[in-house]
């Protein structure tokens, strides 16, 4: 018999992502439409442990779908990674009558949700990360906005790079995942691409490529470097010394995490939020929402976390060839 859910909580956790607000809005409004009560938890698991808990109604999520960041705030919380912290979190949920929790975040946040579920609080995860590094889903909230922000910035860098006939290294986010770099490499027509999943430490190959391109008359050379590889500034110095061509590094940084979400991020985040509210209402627990094979579906958190994520080899080859 599925547990009857009366009141749910919703929190955002880990790195923020544009579209999280759309997801919060959908969780709140669809849950209310399903007859549930909703509480917002501020600042992720940290806010749960600090009892930063507010009542939410339809109006609490008005005028937020177009806003970047998360109105609930987000945090990283070491205490919640301990069994004591998790037991305390579950106890606080019970104190506030929260029988289910929707967790919007990345895989670390799902691990927290898994622990909360084991403590008897129903949990549903929604993939909120600009990194696209959650295997069970082809879409994560914020990725689309992030790659569009990065793509526009790289176009601008390309203009000045061409004018000065420079090499440009552009560092994009993704400490452990190269998806932003991969998509930008294709979208911006990059000459080289460095991903944590594929890095071979062969800087000479890049240097040879730059010299080769220059001989063919190319006026710029764009290298997209993922944050996981990093060291763009020192790499630029070495490349300049080896090629004799002026080389500049630009680290795009946190601008990729902010800004008004794209249409896709608003719509998919809304659909995922509504889906999470529905499966929560059905009494499901330890689930994560994903978009796969052209439809929204849900997966067991354990299974989702165990799926191996790898860079699409064909896409990587295309990025290199084009
Ligand atoms: P993301 O969700 O974006 O991957 P993190 O990995 O930083 O971000 O995780 C966010 C939060 O989730 C952590 O600060 C912590 O509170 C919680 N968390 C992460 N791993 C675990 C774990 N193994 N057990 C319980 N909670 C966890
Ligand atoms: O997970 C999203 C992300 O932006 C990664 O690409 C990046 O490596 C990380 O978060 C940075 O996190 P922090 O906010 O702790 O600097």
């Amino acid at each position: 018999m599925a547990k009857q859910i009366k009141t749910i909580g919703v929190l955002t956790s880990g790195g923020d992502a544009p579209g999280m607000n759309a997801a919060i809005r959908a969780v709140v409004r669809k849950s209310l439409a399903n007859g549930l009560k909703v509480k917002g938890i501020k600042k992720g698991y940290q806010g749960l442990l600090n009892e930063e808990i507010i009542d939410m109604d339809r109006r609490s999520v008005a005028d937020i779908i177009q806003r970047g960041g998360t109105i609930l705030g987000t945090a990283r919380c070491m205490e919640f990674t301990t069994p004591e912290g998790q037991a305390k979190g579950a106890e606080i949920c019970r104190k506030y009558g929260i029988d289910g929790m929707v967790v919007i975040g990345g895989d670390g946040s799902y691990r927290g949700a898994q622990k909360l579920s084991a403590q008897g609080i129903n949990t549903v995860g929604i993939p909120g990360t600009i990194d696209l590094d959650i295997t069970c889903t082809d879409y994560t909230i914020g990725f689309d906005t992030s790659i569009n922000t990065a793509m526009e910035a790289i176009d601008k860098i390309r203009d000045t790079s061409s004018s000065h006939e420079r090499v440009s290294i552009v560092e994009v986010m993704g400490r452990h995942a190269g998806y932003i770099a991969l998509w930008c490499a294709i979208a911006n027509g990059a000459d080289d691409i460095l991903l944590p999943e594929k890095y071979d430490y062969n800087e000479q190959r890049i240097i040879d490529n730059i010299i080769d391109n220059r001989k063919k008359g190319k006026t710029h050379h764009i290298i997209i470097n993922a944050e996981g590889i990093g060291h763009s500034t020192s790499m630029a110095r070495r490349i300049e010394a080896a090629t004799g061509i002026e080389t500049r590094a630009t680290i795009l940084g946190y601008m990729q995490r902010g800004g008004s979400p794209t249409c896709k991020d608003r719509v998919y985040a809304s659909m995922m939020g509504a889906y999470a509210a529905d499966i929560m209402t059905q009494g499901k627990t330890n689930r994560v929402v994903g978009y796969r094979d052209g439809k929204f579906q849900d997966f067991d958190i354990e299974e989702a976390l165990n799926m191996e994520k790898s860079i699409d080899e064909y896409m990587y080859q295309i990025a290199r060839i084009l």
Side-chain angles (χ1 to χ4, degrees):
M1 249 295 263
K3 185 166 114 183
Q4 166 95 45
I5 301 293
K6 295 200 178 87
T7 302
I8 66 152
V10 56
L11 60 81
T12 48
S13 167
D16 66 343
M20 279 185 164
N21 283 330
I24 296 168
R25 174 176 175 271
V27 168
V28 171
R29 292 194 169 170
K30 188 67 169 79
S31 299
L32 293 171
N34 291 355
L36 306 181
K37 289 196 174 118
V38 188
K39 291 184 188 290
I41 319 297
K42 297 219 157 180
K43 300 177 206 150
Y45 295 115
Q46 190 61 59
L48 176 63
L49 298 185
N50 293 342
E51 301 189 36
E52 294 184 63
I53 299 170
I54 53 171
D55 290 327
M56 298 196 86
D57 59 21
R58 270 190 77 84
R59 299 303 305 157
S60 336
V61 289
D63 199 25
I64 65 167
I65 194 165
Q66 76 285 9
R67 283 162 55 187
T70 156
I71 58 155
L72 290 174
T74 184
R76 295 196 161 96
C77 173
M78 278 312 289
E79 190 184 351
F80 199 74
T81 61
T82 66
E84 297 74 28
Q86 292 148 18
K88 183 176 163 191
E91 206 41 58
I92 292 168
C93 286
R94 281 186 272 275
K95 178 174 161 188
Y96 285 81
I98 295 170
D99 20 52
M101 185 72 78
V102 175
V103 174
I104 306 169
D107 52 4
S109 303
Y110 295 167
R111 290 199 172 84
Q114 212 179 9
K115 304 290 165 40
L116 211 48
S117 178
Q119 297 273 347
I121 308 297
N122 282 18
T123 56
V124 174
I126 298 179
T129 167
I130 62 165
D131 288 341
L132 193 69
D133 60 345
I134 296 172
T135 316
C136 69
T137 182
D138 298 333
Y139 165 84
T140 62
I141 295 172
F143 178 71
D144 191 60
T145 306
S146 175
I147 50 171
N148 278 291
T149 301
M151 180 187 75
E152 283 173 21
I154 297 164
D155 280 345
K156 291 179 177 136
I157 292 167
R158 189 191 184 109
D159 290 343
T160 167
S161 192
S162 289
S163 304
H164 288 265
E165 304 198 356
R166 283 176 176 156
V167 173
S168 286
I169 303 176
V170 188
E171 188 171 311
V172 297
M173 270 192 150
R175 198 169 293 160
H176 305 290
Y179 295 95
I180 296 175
L182 179 62
W183 279 62
C184 287
I186 295 176
N188 294 98
D191 301 280
D192 275 299
I193 167 176
L194 303 173
L195 312 179
E197 297 89 339
K198 295 282 181 188
Y199 195 45
D200 60 4
Y201 297 92
N202 189 355
E203 214 163 273
Q204 191 56 46
R205 190 174 49 77
I206 298 171
I207 291 165
D208 294 344
N209 200 16
I210 293 168
I211 294 169
D212 211 40
N213 275 345
R214 200 43 67 106
K215 280 186 192 148
K216 288 180 192 149
K218 244 190 133 167
T219 52
H220 61 257
H221 192 102
I222 306 283
I223 302 165
I224 311 274
N225 185 27
E227 178 191 358
I229 307 295
H231 305 289
S232 297
T233 308
S234 52
M235 199 183 285
R237 272 198 296 270
R238 287 194 302 274
I239 287 176
E240 182 166 308
T243 60
I245 301 169
E246 270 191 323
T247 304
R248 296 283 191 271
T250 307
I251 298 167
L252 294 185
Y254 291 95
M255 66 182 289
Q256 297 160 92
R257 280 236 300 252
S260 179
T262 58
C263 180
K264 180 170 180 176
D265 272 328
R266 295 181 198 195
V267 173
Y268 276 45
S270 297
M271 295 304 294
M272 284 185 159
Y275 189 103
D278 284 347
I279 60 173
M280 192 53 107
T281 309
Q282 290 159 19
K284 286 194 181 183
T285 185
N286 208 38
R287 308 296 291 179
V288 54
V289 179
Y291 181 80
R292 206 179 197 187
D293 303 326
K295 60 178 191 286
F296 295 98
Q297 32 183 320
D298 55 292
F299 302 86
D300 178 76
I301 293 187
E302 182 80 32
E303 275 172 34
L305 289 172
N306 286 337
M307 290 178 190
E308 207 179 307
K309 185 95 179 172
S310 57
I311 285 286
D312 183 324
E313 193 53 43
Y314 185 62
M315 205 171 166
Y316 179 62
Q317 291 310 328
I318 293 303
R320 297 192 65 81
I321 290 165
L322 299 185

